[in-house]
Amino acid sequence: VVLMSLSVKDSKLDEVTKLLEESSCDITPPDPFHTVEWLNVINDSEMGSLRVFFLYDDEALVSIFPIFYREIGGLRIIVRAPSTPYLGPFFKAVETTKMSRIIHLRQEYIRYYSEIIKRKFYCGSFFLQPDFLDIREFLWNGWSSDVRYTYINEIGNLTDLWDDLKPKVRNKIKKAGESGLTLERSNDLNRLTEIMEETYQFQDRKDPMSIKFYKSLV
């Protein structure tokens, strides 16, 4: 039996940016959406609020859990962050090769997180990152699950990326080039918002992203 003394500290992003950067060597973000840079983007979007939870085991930082939420009718509801496919807890690497030990630690950490979250939030949904292969620790603590699919393209190899596209898509791209369309790089925020507005109008829909999000992204 391993006795743990767990505690959680939660803060706004601007209060803990330095701590996140200092912790990156010990707790590596699993993807771009858990980095300080991306957390700043969604925090500045003003499409909700971001809190970052730090989990300590015997005063040693072992996990970080960013949570994006909105206040609706005075209630805190956990929601998906804008243009962010997944956002969940990530952990410090454990110095053991025993999977049972790693699973046990995660179960204890998630159980503790769940108790804190239930006190601070009314309800909500988490979209866990692809490396989160075992969700039993959530299910055992009262959460329900729903299947989502993640498609990953390795954009570093453009040849393979092109070959993996469906022939119909490749033909559309070729025809676009033959018709005189060109690709340009730009940091012009006004042009970006114009294109997004026209795109959604064509679909008879409204852009779900705010101008604040585009500004923070640029």
Side-chain angles (χ1 to χ4, degrees):
V1 176
V2 180
L3 298 178
M4 293 183 288
S5 177
L6 301 178
S7 61
V8 163
K9 174 185 176 183
D10 75 291
S11 303
K12 294 181 179 179
L13 183 61
D14 56 1
E15 298 171 349
V16 295
T17 297
K18 184 177 180 181
L19 179 58
L20 274 171
E21 292 172 342
E22 291 174 348
S23 301
S24 61
C25 294
D26 296 326
I27 305 181
T28 304
D31 50 68
F33 306 106
H34 287 78
T35 59
V36 174
E37 291 80 7
W38 187 257
L39 294 179
N40 274 309
V41 168
I42 61 177
N43 186 57
D44 293 340
S45 70
E46 296 186 4
M47 296 178 66
S49 301
L50 180 71
R51 303 291 291 191
V52 182
F53 288 74
F54 295 89
L55 179 63
Y56 295 86
D57 186 352
D58 290 330
E59 300 185 356
L61 182 61
V62 293
S63 177
I64 298 174
F65 196 165
I67 294 180
F68 193 80
Y69 67 95
R70 295 193 182 103
E71 290 199 15
I72 304 173
L75 302 175
R76 290 181 173 183
I77 312 295
I78 301 170
V79 297
R80 174 179 277 180
S83 199
T84 304
Y86 31 79
L87 198 65
F90 55 107
F91 306 89
K92 181 178 181 178
V94 180
E95 296 180 358
T96 179
T97 57
K98 294 183 178 180
M99 184 56 64
S100 60
R101 171 63 176 160
I102 296 174
I103 291 175
H104 172 72
L105 287 174
R106 282 203 176 189
Q107 288 171 353
E108 290 299 312
Y109 295 160
I110 294 301
R111 179 191 61 79
Y112 196 80
Y113 271 136
S114 293
E115 294 174 356
I116 301 296
I117 290 168
K118 287 177 182 178
R119 293 201 298 266
K120 291 182 175 290
F121 299 93
Y122 178 70
C123 66
S125 300
F126 292 118
F127 297 83
L128 300 175
Q129 55 269 25
D131 73 336
F132 223 102
L133 301 179
D134 187 351
I135 64 169
R136 289 178 297 173
E137 53 261 44
F138 280 98
L139 300 179
W140 290 338
N141 286 284
W143 296 85
S144 59
S145 65
D146 195 10
V147 176
R148 292 291 185 270
Y149 296 94
T150 298
Y151 298 94
I152 299 176
N153 289 316
E154 298 293 340
I155 61 175
N157 189 327
L158 294 181
T159 300
D160 288 346
L161 182 61
W162 175 260
D163 291 340
D164 288 340
L165 293 175
K166 293 181 179 179
K168 184 178 179 180
V169 175
R170 290 201 297 266
N171 290 335
K172 284 186 177 181
I173 295 174
K174 290 177 181 177
K175 289 180 180 179
E178 294 169 356
S179 65
L181 293 179
T182 58
L183 177 65
E184 297 179 358
R185 295 179 182 270
S186 173
N187 288 325
D188 185 351
L189 179 63
N190 293 329
R191 187 65 187 124
L192 171 62
T193 53
E194 286 174 6
I195 292 173
M196 296 305 294
E197 183 177 351
E198 291 171 2
T199 300
Y200 279 96
Q201 282 181 349
F202 179 76
Q203 302 175 58
D204 195 26
R205 296 175 60 191
K206 183 179 179 181
D207 189 350
M209 303 303 163
S210 69
I211 186 66
K212 293 284 188 180
F213 171 78
Y214 290 124
K215 285 183 177 178
S216 62
L217 186 62
V218 171

